[in-house]
Amino acid sequence: ILITGAAGNLGGLLAENLKNKSVELNLMIHKKDLSPSLKGIDNVKIFEADLAEKSTLTNALQGVDTIVHFAGVLFKHNSEKFLHTTNTKYFNNLLASAVEQGVKRVILVSFPHVEGETTPENPAKGILTGNPISVHATTRLEEEKSLFEICPKHGIEPVVLRLGMVYGKGILMM
């Protein structure tokens, strides 16, 4: 299993929960270092890679059956200037590398707001034709569409997990 964004909140939580299981974990990091509790474990390999540079992904993907994709930038000023690149172009680099390496499943962690505003009275329906409000949701929807377009053509199972999340300073709740 390759976890992108393994040094982040959600990627780190998944890695922590899987590190003592009988799976081989490839943990991909970019600028942020991993938690010390994830280092020095026999079934854990750490790969420093950059989704912007497709050539840096090859080693992290060798022998991988499943990718769980968390990597991304959430809370940075002027996100409309970079999210179309970091969320769509970089994700497509990951998908192209997954095809080349024979990955069997790609799991994209997303959220209900890719369909537009969702509430308990107006829940997400699992559609790809939504009208998202934010640039983050718009670009994540583009990622979902790419996933469902590219993966089936290459025998890769596409999976989207639309998690309900609340972020705040010092807070991550699902």
Side-chain angles (χ1 to χ4, degrees):
I1 298 171
L2 169 69
I3 300 173
T4 69
N9 287 324
L10 295 175
L13 286 170
L14 180 60
E16 286 288 345
N17 281 289
L18 292 177
K19 71 181 182 184
N20 295 321
K21 307 288 185 206
S22 58
V23 296
E24 296 294 318
L25 287 179
N26 287 6
L27 304 181
M28 194 172 96
I29 60 171
H30 182 224
K31 294 181 179 179
K32 188 176 173 185
D33 198 10
L34 279 175
S35 164
S37 65
L38 292 169
K39 295 179 179 180
I41 301 171
D42 290 339
N43 64 319
V44 175
K45 294 178 186 168
I46 302 165
F47 296 89
E48 190 168 337
D50 185 349
L51 291 169
E53 299 293 330
K54 189 172 162 271
S55 63
T56 68
L57 305 176
T58 303
N59 290 338
L61 283 165
Q62 288 182 346
V64 167
D65 291 322
T66 300
I67 297 170
V68 183
H69 180 61
F70 289 105
V73 180
L74 286 179
F75 304 110
K76 190 173 176 183
H77 187 63
N78 290 326
S79 58
E80 65 279 351
K81 292 183 179 179
F82 62 84
L83 281 178
H84 288 285
T85 299
T86 60
N87 276 5
T88 53
K89 180 182 176 195
Y90 295 178
F91 183 64
N92 285 327
N93 285 344
L94 180 64
L95 288 179
S97 294
V99 168
E100 291 171 6
Q101 294 298 318
V103 170
K104 294 179 176 73
R105 177 183 298 121
V106 177
I107 301 170
L108 172 63
V109 178
S110 189
F111 47 93
H113 291 351
V114 298
E115 294 184 24
E117 186 176 349
T118 58
T119 65
E121 296 76 32
N122 181 35
K125 296 167 184 64
I127 59 172
L128 295 174
T129 57
N131 188 20
I133 298 167
S134 72
V135 67
H136 189 252
T138 300
T139 56
R140 189 56 55 126
L141 181 59
E142 290 173 22
E143 285 180 282
E144 288 186 18
K145 289 177 181 179
S146 290
L147 182 76
F148 287 113
E149 178 185 329
I150 293 168
C151 288
K153 292 177 184 176
H154 300 281
I156 300 172
E157 179 185 12
V159 178
V160 171
L161 297 177
R162 289 184 178 168
L163 306 174
M165 295 178 264
V166 176
Y167 282 99
K169 188 173 184 176
I171 301 170
L172 170 61
M173 298 185 332
M174 290 183 283

